[in-house]
Amino acid sequence: MSMSSNTSRAVQFVESFGGPEALDLREVPVPDVGPGQIRVRVIAAGLNPMDWFMTSDADTAARFGLSLPCGFGNDYAGVVDEVGDGVGEFNVGDRVFGGAFSRSVADYVVVDAPGHIGKGGDAHHTPDGLADRIAGALAIAGCTAAAALAIVNPGPSDTLLIGGAGGGVGVFAVQLARLAGARVIGTGSAASADALRALGAEPVTYGESLADRLRELAPDGITAAMDLHSTDTIAVARELGVPDARMATIAAAVDGVTPANGANGANAAPGAVEKIARLAAEGRLRVPIAATFPVNEVRAAVELQAGRHVHGKVVIDLA
Ligand SMILES: NC(=O)c1ccc[n+]([C@@H]2O[C@H](COP(=O)([O-])OP(=O)(O)OC[C@H]3O[C@@H](n4cnc5c(N)ncnc54)[C@H](OP(=O)(O)O)[C@@H]3O)[C@@H](O)[C@H]2O)c1
């Protein structure tokens, strides 16, 4: 796409919401910066299932307050390109990462500074040594994992069961729980066993007779659980005697179990995503990137992630 200096690329739904086929790469005006805001030249934008779930049809989009034309994606990393009046914390040229609600897969995003992941978006300084591709994949999954950890509070005396441990949220949850000293058993398909081991989890296959496999693997019992895929892990953990107070869900609600919310950091500790970024920059936490796609291949990126068997994060390259 040829561009003049005041236009830029943005992935959008224009005619209708829908699946990946409804996404288009458009030429749009470079967004203006208002007071208290910064504009970021995006370099990498990580995808989350939430991105395509929210925009899958008009009714769902309306529930999330979205209307056409509508951008796509939340997580981003890039460089501050313009600073609005009254912003003290960021300067042009600063490397930043964060969330920009349903608009991050674009050359430019405008976000509030500081703020929270929501309509206004948010921004954090990218630590030195952390690649944009990694920083651009932290916001939702990192925050959600931190929120689930804050609910379950695993420690050295715990054997924590994580259902769906190899996915975007799982890779953070497993490693954060290991850093907290817990033994971690992670569910996955047989094909995910090596990836789970590399994160520090003991792999176990999900599905029928999971409770039996867990009794064998952890004869002293499971003490805490997170369900990052559905509700199956919670059901098995209950069967094994894990109390509801030591469990969290993120993908589907279970009566009596606290849901973790990564979208607004509601139950994550303040500063959780910055801490994750520091751990990643120090090499103490790995962020596996399942695949990176150029922005004109965003539909393929969504299709890959929607298959629900990726290990780690799917990232769009906008450099
Ligand atoms: N509440 C919130 O704030 C919040 C925030 C973020 C995400 N979420 C939701 O949480 C879920 C996970 O997000 P994510 O980013 O981690 O997704 P993801 O990256 O798409 O998760 C993929 C993982 O799911 C695993 N999986 C597939 N089928 C499974 C099954 N039957 N049982 C257990 N695991 C299975 C896969 O493992 P195998 O390849 O080994 O099968 C794969 O590693 C999504 O539904 C998402 O919408 C909620």
Side-chain angles (χ1 to χ4, degrees), residues 47-53 140-141 143-145 147 162-171 187-193 196 206-207 227-230 232-233 249-252 259-264 304-314:
L47 300 188
N48 291 280
M50 180 186 169
D51 301 334
W52 38 266
F53 172 74
I140 291 268
C143 217
T144 306
I162 301 185
V169 178
V171 295
T187 81
S189 60
S192 296
L196 291 176
Y206 47 70
D227 198 323
L228 308 182
H229 179 265
S230 53
D232 304 7
T233 304
T249 56
I250 69 163
N261 190 338
N264 61 11
L304 173 68
Q305 195 185 54
R308 302 307 309 277
H309 291 291
V310 294
H311 297 148
K313 301 294 299 176
V314 177

Side-chain angles (χ1 to χ4, degrees), residues 15-313:
E15 304 289 323
S16 67
F17 288 102
E21 69 291 343
L23 283 171
D24 275 315
L25 185 60
R26 310 266 303 172
E27 193 168 336
V28 298
V30 173
D32 290 328
V33 178
Q37 297 182 320
I38 58 174
R39 185 170 67 208
V40 180
R41 171 67 177 93
V42 177
I43 295 173
L47 300 188
N48 291 280
M50 180 186 169
D51 301 334
W52 38 266
F53 172 74
M54 290 192 310
T55 51
S56 53
D57 59 62
D59 288 346
T60 311
R63 277 201 283 126
F64 286 93
L66 298 171
S67 56
L68 296 171
C70 180
F72 186 73
N74 177 82
D75 297 1
Y76 74 86
V79 178
V80 177
D81 154 86
E82 196 170 326
V83 172
D85 290 343
V87 174
E89 205 188 325
F90 297 98
N91 295 300
V92 169
D94 286 355
R95 296 178 63 227
V96 292
F97 74 98
F101 190 69
S102 211
R103 61 182 185 282
S104 69
V105 186
D107 282 331
Y108 294 93
V109 292
V110 170
V111 293
D112 292 347
H116 56 86
I117 300 175
K119 283 272 145 56
D122 75 347
H124 313 277
H125 291 282
T126 305
D128 288 345
L130 188 66
D132 293 311
R133 189 173 282 190
I134 305 293
L138 298 183
I140 291 268
C143 217
T144 306
L149 262 284
I151 293 164
V152 170
N153 194 23
S157 57
D158 280 311
T159 299
L160 170 67
L161 172 65
I162 301 185
V169 178
V171 295
F172 294 99
V174 168
Q175 294 178 88
L176 292 173
R178 294 289 290 140
L179 286 167
R183 176 185 179 193
V184 177
I185 298 175
T187 81
S189 60
S192 296
D194 288 344
L196 291 176
R197 268 190 216 101
L199 297 169
E202 294 165 56
V204 63
T205 51
Y206 47 70
E208 207 176 320
S209 309
L210 172 60
D212 294 339
R213 289 190 288 285
L214 290 169
R215 281 189 196 98
E216 200 166 307
L217 204 53
D220 293 337
I222 305 287
T223 59
M226 289 174 194
D227 198 323
L228 308 182
H229 179 265
S230 53
T231 61
D232 304 7
T233 304
I234 298 298
V236 169
R238 277 180 168 166
E239 189 184 330
L240 295 176
V242 180
D244 284 2
R246 299 300 315 283
M247 301 201 274
T249 56
I250 69 163
V254 176
D255 269 354
V257 175
T258 309
N261 190 338
N264 61 11
N267 31 27
V273 78
E274 289 94 334
K275 185 177 164 197
I276 288 171
R278 278 197 304 277
L279 289 170
E282 291 163 3
R284 296 175 64 202
L285 185 146
R286 272 189 329 112
V287 183
I289 303 297
T292 303
F293 290 82
V295 65
N296 59 338
E297 292 176 22
V298 65
R299 292 178 181 181
V302 173
E303 274 159 21
L304 173 68
Q305 195 185 54
R308 302 307 309 277
H309 291 291
V310 294
H311 297 148
K313 301 294 299 176

